[in-house]
Amino acid sequence: MHRKLGRNDNCWCGSGKKYKTCHASFDEKISQYKSKGHIVPKHEIIKTPEEIEALRASAKINISVLDYVAQNIKEGVTTEDIDKWVYQKTTELGGIPATLDYEEYPKSVCTSINDQVCHGIPSDEVVLKDGDIINVDVSTIFNGYFSDSSRMFCIGDVSEEKRKLVDVTKECIEIGLEQVKPWGFLGDMGQAVHEHAMKNGYTVVQEVGGHGIGNEFHEDPWVSYVSEKGTEMLMVPGMVFTIEPMLNMGADEIYLDEEDGWTIYTVDGKPSAQWEIMVLVTETGHEVLAY
């Protein structure tokens, strides 16, 4: 699984301690899970204390940017306005918008309205209207470390149907988060999210999921929200990933806008909602880094 270290070698985590007094027992525990057929994390995605501090600093900017959006978003605002706010606030705080020029994505934020599931591209032609729901997805690079979170916003007088979708999607995050603990499995979280969505009459998008994050924008593991308890990757202290389920009011089928190459829509035109948090697995449970 990893390069073989002697017990008196320096630990792979960079602590400067001998392996036997640092991560030897940790690695042995992971090996026991692997021997039983479970998917286990590689060292590369387990964050050191120094990296975790750097991620907290990046996440602090990400949260501040979304707070700024929350204070200013309203009917009559264009999604291009939101993009400008995100760029200006992120750079003002010393960060870089992670989506800007990422795989040729043209903007600093994703803005997905109503039946847009995710990756909506801001435009000065898209004006927020009374009754819209919108996901604003902000991602930040600060000193080389990535953070990522998104929030839903209800514009004006939103229908009871749409508001419930938004609220239940947020509840799914909270219920899923209860399952994030060391030596559990990502499938524990995924099943909890899926069950709560179905109980409320919604479907969960299967093709798009969460991801590890930290030194890169997208790292292992890929995170599903239609998984089963006891499956998917083993969660261990130091892992960082996003929880970002997308719930549809109708069917779970989606399609990609071939013209812009980014925006994903529901096939039946019914609304979709998504919240996203970035979470660290700790020795005793979890810590939400960005929301």
Side-chain angles (χ1 to χ4, degrees), residues 33 38-41 172 175-196 198 204 210 221-236 239 241-243 245 279 281:
Y33 280 93
H38 294 294
I39 303 167
V40 300
C172 281
I175 287 168
L177 190 58
E178 292 174 0
Q179 300 301 316
V180 177
K181 58 192 74 169
W183 315 110
F185 297 93
L186 283 172
D188 304 348
M189 179 275 297
Q191 180 171 320
V193 168
H194 196 200
E195 286 180 348
H196 190 67
M198 290 192 302
V204 180
W222 187 79
V223 182
S224 169
Y225 308 104
V226 293
S227 47
E228 295 181 359
K229 189 176 179 66
T231 69
E232 305 296 323
M233 187 176 282
L234 177 72
M235 294 183 286
V236 303
M239 276 179 62
F241 56 89
T242 64
I243 303 179
V279 61
V281 182

Side-chain angles (χ1 to χ4, degrees), residues 119-191:
H119 303 159
I121 301 175
S123 167
D124 56 11
E125 296 180 359
V126 179
V127 182
L128 296 184
K129 305 185 302 297
D130 183 59
D132 283 340
I133 59 172
I134 178 172
N135 176 268
V136 179
D137 191 347
V138 172
S139 310
T140 302
I141 310 170
F142 182 64
N143 290 337
Y145 289 88
F146 290 77
S147 54
D148 189 10
S149 58
S150 78
R151 300 180 196 173
M152 291 297 299
F153 298 99
C154 295
I155 307 301
D157 186 17
V158 172
S159 70
E160 187 176 328
E161 269 191 325
K162 281 186 177 179
R163 192 173 292 277
K164 182 185 175 186
L165 174 66
V166 169
D167 290 345
V168 169
T169 305
K170 190 173 186 182
E171 289 169 8
C172 281
I173 292 256
E174 295 161 353
I175 287 168
L177 190 58
E178 292 174 0
Q179 300 301 316
V180 177
K181 58 192 74 169
W183 315 110
F185 297 93
L186 283 172
D188 304 348
M189 179 275 297
Q191 180 171 320

Side-chain angles (χ1 to χ4, degrees), residues 98-135:
T99 58
L100 187 59
D101 298 325
Y102 173 76
E103 295 185 355
E104 299 184 0
Y105 185 81
K107 297 292 182 174
S108 297
V109 67
C110 296
T111 51
S112 305
I113 302 175
N114 298 326
D115 64 331
Q116 293 178 338
V117 176
C118 59
H119 303 159
I121 301 175
S123 167
D124 56 11
E125 296 180 359
V126 179
V127 182
L128 296 184
K129 305 185 302 297
D130 183 59
D132 283 340
I133 59 172
I134 178 172
N135 176 268

